[in-house]
Amino acid sequence: LCRTPFLIGLFDRGRTVVEDNVKYKILPYFKKSSVYHLIQAIGTFFYATIWSLKTDEGFIFCDVLCKSMVYGLGLSSVFHRKKIIGLVTDMPGMSHERPNGYKPESIGDKLHYYFISKLDGFVLISPLSDKLINPDKKPYMIMEGVVDHNLACDTCENKRPTIDFLYAGILSSVYGLDWLVKAFMRLKNDNVRLIIYG
């Protein structure tokens, strides 16, 4: 944290985390501030540009849901030729406060999709998202259902006493979660469970 008493708890000076020989750079940012996105975009731009010019190899992976990061990387790509790959875990504009999509008149939303379109490739969790996020038919791969094979249990077959249904996503009635719960409660079967992860 910043040592200035006024900024303690408001500013994260960033850090580097290494896990399994992979280095993750967490950029500095102001918490709960209107300048949060601006600071993050500027930090992303400078860090990506400097790193890209210093090394001959490597790729840049980007969470496309983070507008400020997409802005910063999009601008940095003007100065280097590194491949920037977008990780698409959800459709932009469909996962937060505006579940029905982006506002067509919003300059910020237009810029977001513009810079996403400039990425070099995508990692998607569904082939359906390719039609929306990747109209220029850039390279992509589908990565869904990732499971650690070390957790496999050959002797666990048929041991579960119930049939489980899993919902993983935002806990909001906008996505029909309340309908799902009400419908599930009408089942007359004690051997089924609905498990919800938000």
Side-chain angles (χ1 to χ4, degrees):
L1 294 175
C2 181
R3 294 179 181 177
T4 306
F6 175 73
L7 293 178
I8 289 178
L10 296 179
F11 179 71
D12 189 317
R13 65 182 181 184
R15 57 199 176 278
T16 299
V17 178
V18 179
E19 185 176 319
D20 295 330
N21 293 323
V22 177
K23 183 186 291 185
Y24 300 91
K25 180 69 175 179
I26 300 173
L27 298 172
Y29 64 93
F30 284 94
K31 304 175 185 177
K32 300 179 181 178
S33 169
S34 59
V35 297
Y36 167 83
H37 291 292
L38 177 62
I39 297 295
Q40 191 174 55
I42 293 172
T44 300
F45 168 79
F46 281 108
Y47 182 79
T49 302
I50 293 170
W51 176 82
S52 298
L53 295 176
K54 285 170 56 177
T55 181
D56 294 329
E57 299 180 351
F59 294 84
I60 297 175
F61 287 90
C62 169
D63 178 359
V64 302
L65 297 182
C66 181
K67 281 186 181 181
S68 48
M69 187 177 293
V70 172
Y71 294 165
L73 288 176
L75 292 172
S76 76
S77 65
V78 175
F79 300 95
H80 61 79
R81 295 186 177 181
K82 289 289 186 297
K83 297 289 185 182
I84 303 177
I85 310 300
L87 306 176
V88 186
T89 56
D90 207 340
M91 292 306 299
M94 297 294 289
S95 60
H96 297 296
E97 67 277 4
R98 297 205 299 271
N100 294 322
Y102 275 12
K103 294 181 178 178
E105 69 277 10
S106 168
I107 295 176
D109 293 344
K110 289 179 180 178
L111 279 174
H112 191 191
Y113 263 102
Y114 171 77
F115 282 122
I116 288 174
S117 72
K118 297 302 180 183
L119 300 181
D120 299 292
F122 301 93
V123 177
L124 311 170
I125 60 172
S126 167
L128 297 175
S129 56
D130 177 56
K131 297 178 182 178
L132 297 173
I133 203 78
N134 188 20
D136 295 330
K137 304 300 180 186
K138 294 182 179 179
Y140 73 93
M141 66 167 287
I142 305 296
M143 185 173 66
E144 51 188 341
V146 179
V147 176
D148 186 348
H149 66 87
N150 294 317
L151 298 177
C153 178
D154 296 333
T155 61
C156 297
E157 189 174 354
N158 298 325
K159 295 290 184 180
R160 190 180 299 277
T162 60
I163 300 172
D164 295 339
F165 294 86
L166 173 67
Y167 171 89
I170 293 177
L171 303 181
S172 172
S173 61
V174 174
Y175 295 97
L177 182 58
D178 53 343
W179 291 355
L180 175 63
V181 172
K182 289 175 183 177
F184 204 86
M185 292 179 69
R186 296 182 67 177
L187 292 175
K188 305 300 182 184
N189 188 338
D190 294 333
N191 294 323
V192 295
R193 293 191 307 169
L194 174 62
I195 303 172
I196 298 175
Y197 291 92

